[in-house]
Amino acid sequence: KNEVEQSPQNLTAQEGEFITINCSYSVGISALHWLQQHPGGGIVSLFMLSSGKKKHGRLIATINIQEKHSSLHITASHPRDSAVYICAVGAAGNKLTFGGGTRVLVKP
Amino acid sequence: DTGVSQDPRHKITKRGQNVTFRCDPISEHNRLYWYRQTLGQGPEFLTYFQNEAQLEKSRLLSDRFSAERPKGSFSTLEIQRTEQGDSAMYLCASSLAARGRFEQYFGPGTRLTVT
């Protein structure tokens, strides 16, 4: 079993739909990161969480430390949100352990 | 500062050749990380430095791989005697190690293709 599990692996939505990506982890963490990766490889940090909830524009990230679970929500999805979303947890040394990613396609 | 940079962005090499990649972190960042990402997978940790000290190496880092950060600034990752299985995106990230500061900033990656 991987230390960081994401679901779903792939997700297709129509423009405007609400999207949720889930992440479960099995190790102790110092912080959980949500990352976005576009074709071509560049990774952008969206959120870093150690508790509670954060919001940035149409993106919302939540974390439940007791349940070792986090969710990333995209409200009013848009085709430009199409990307791979990766959950990663940071532990000792802050090295990151990554989930396998969720490939999101938003159709117009 | 323009962020984390990596060079080259793409490298095609023949099996058995040696390759070296460079990462320039954000200037005030004291931690530097190398990750590897194969197609369709999430990245995997390879190694990290605090200043010039290499503090941890993954079991993924075979003896054909070596990384250095000689002056605590830029880092190099060398792969000797490349194999087709080394084909991947090699990502570098940097961070400032301080209490409560965990955010890592990623470079654009070096895509290696071994033919």
Side-chain angles (χ1 to χ4, degrees):
Chain A
K1 187 181 191 304
N2 292 334
E3 293 177 330
V4 182
E5 298 273 1
Q6 281 186 242
S7 64
Q9 287 186 309
N10 295 282
L11 186 157
T12 300
Q14 288 297 131
E15 184 173 356
E17 287 184 343
F18 183 85
I19 290 171
T20 295
I21 303 168
N22 295 299
C23 175
S24 296
Y25 55 94
S26 58
V27 294
I29 68 170
S30 52
L32 183 141
H33 304 248
W34 281 103
L35 309 167
Q36 182 190 57
Q37 187 172 34
H38 280 285
I43 290 180
V44 175
S45 178
L46 298 175
F47 293 105
M48 185 176 59
L49 295 164
S50 53
S51 66
K53 175 180 175 177
K54 287 190 176 181
K55 183 176 190 291
H56 185 255
R58 295 179 294 105
L59 301 179
I60 302 168
T62 64
I63 187 168
N64 185 317
I65 297 293
Q66 287 73 31
E67 295 186 3
K68 296 188 175 179
H69 180 269
S70 176
S71 294
L72 176 68
H73 306 285
I74 306 175
T75 62
S77 60
H78 190 276
R80 65 175 174 267
D81 297 326
S82 298
V84 176
Y85 292 85
I86 303 173
C87 171
V89 298
N94 304 144
K95 69 175 185 181
L96 296 180
T97 302
F98 298 81
T102 296
R103 188 173 300 274
V104 172
L105 175 63
V106 181
K107 294 183 175 180
Chain B
D1 193 285
T2 56
V4 180
S5 61
Q6 291 187 244
D7 184 70
R9 295 289 304 277
H10 303 272
K11 178 72 177 178
I12 299 174
T13 191
K14 293 187 176 180
R15 190 176 55 188
Q17 298 294 304
N18 299 344
V19 294
T20 300
F21 310 140
R22 177 178 170 126
C23 172
D24 286 88
I26 294 172
S27 57
E28 65 268 25
H29 285 185
N30 54 358
R31 284 201 177 157
L32 186 148
Y33 305 82
W34 285 99
Y35 300 97
R36 181 173 70 184
Q37 185 178 27
T38 52
L39 206 58
Q41 305 296 317
E44 297 171 295
F45 169 75
L46 292 179
T47 188
Y48 89 95
F49 294 83
Q50 176 149 326
N51 300 313
E52 64 275 10
Q54 188 173 19
L55 296 188
E56 188 173 346
K57 292 169 58 173
S58 163
R59 287 172 296 176
L60 294 174
L61 217 62
S62 76
D63 56 8
R64 296 186 297 106
F65 289 70
S66 62
E68 294 183 339
R69 194 182 183 199
K71 296 181 180 178
S73 56
F74 73 91
S75 175
T76 58
L77 178 68
E78 181 183 16
I79 309 174
Q80 296 183 326
R81 305 181 304 280
T82 52
E83 302 173 356
Q84 287 188 319
D86 298 330
S87 295
M89 175 77 84
Y90 290 83
L91 294 161
C92 175
S94 70
S95 72
L96 180 62
R99 182 174 294 276
R101 301 280 298 271
F102 305 114
E103 190 163 13
Q104 293 188 19
Y105 295 82
F106 286 83
T110 294
R111 185 172 295 282
L112 174 65
T113 303
V114 182
T115 61

